[in-house]
Amino acid sequence: MSLVRFGVSIEEDVLAKFDNLIKKKGYANRSKAIGDLIRESLVEQEWKSGKVVAGIITLVYDHHQRELASALTNTQHDFHQIIISTQHIHLDHHRCLEVVVVRGKPQEIQGLADKLRSTRGVEHTSLSMATTGKHI
Ligand code: NI
């Protein structure tokens, strides 16, 4: 992909804060940091526009909770069209962490995340909004 240089006018103090922030985050220069911010906005837009996106749903739960594991499995079968992969990690004697990698319409992914989150006994759910990379 060819690179384009462009000029940006911005308040001095805002730029100083930005430089300070990206330095803490480990960026070597502004170009990569600004490029990442732009792509972040594009991904956000993908999720709003209903295009096919990718995501990761993370769950933490106690597998001793009655019928929870089978309820979560049932839900995942209901959404099998959008689930690419599920990884189950036994965190300790009681707790499981599950990572569900998905690709599909944002509404479907959100629907799956909501259903998993609202399942009795699920202690933590997060949805990481990623992209297929096709539209950014
Ligand atoms: Ni487990």
Side-chain angles (χ1 to χ4, degrees), residues 34-78:
I34 291 169
D36 283 356
L37 283 177
I38 293 171
R39 280 186 291 272
E40 222 170 85
S41 303
L42 294 173
V43 171
E44 204 176 295
Q45 192 49 43
E46 270 186 358
W47 276 79
K48 284 181 185 156
S49 70
K51 287 188 180 135
V52 171
V53 292
I56 301 160
I57 301 166
T58 307
L59 302 170
V60 176
Y61 60 91
D62 183 341
H63 77 101
H64 286 131
Q65 174 94 22
R66 211 169 151 262
E67 288 173 11
L68 174 56
S70 75
L72 295 175
T73 301
N74 286 341
T75 299
Q76 292 191 39
H77 277 271
D78 288 343

Side-chain angles (χ1 to χ4, degrees), residues 16 22 34 43 50-51 53 76-77 79 82 89-90 92 113 116:
I22 66 174
I34 291 169
V43 171
K51 287 188 180 135
V53 292
Q76 292 191 39
H77 277 271
F79 286 83
I82 63 166
I89 293 114
H90 310 302
D92 58 28
L116 293 169

Side-chain angles (χ1 to χ4, degrees), residues 61 63 88-91 94-97:
Y61 60 91
H63 77 101
H88 183 111
I89 293 114
H90 310 302
L91 285 178
H94 297 278
R95 246 168 216 93
C96 305
L97 182 146

Side-chain angles (χ1 to χ4, degrees), residues 118-132:
S118 60
T119 306
R120 191 185 148 90
V122 173
E123 293 166 343
H124 168 82
T125 310
S126 64
L127 170 58
S128 168
M129 297 181 183
T131 175
T132 62

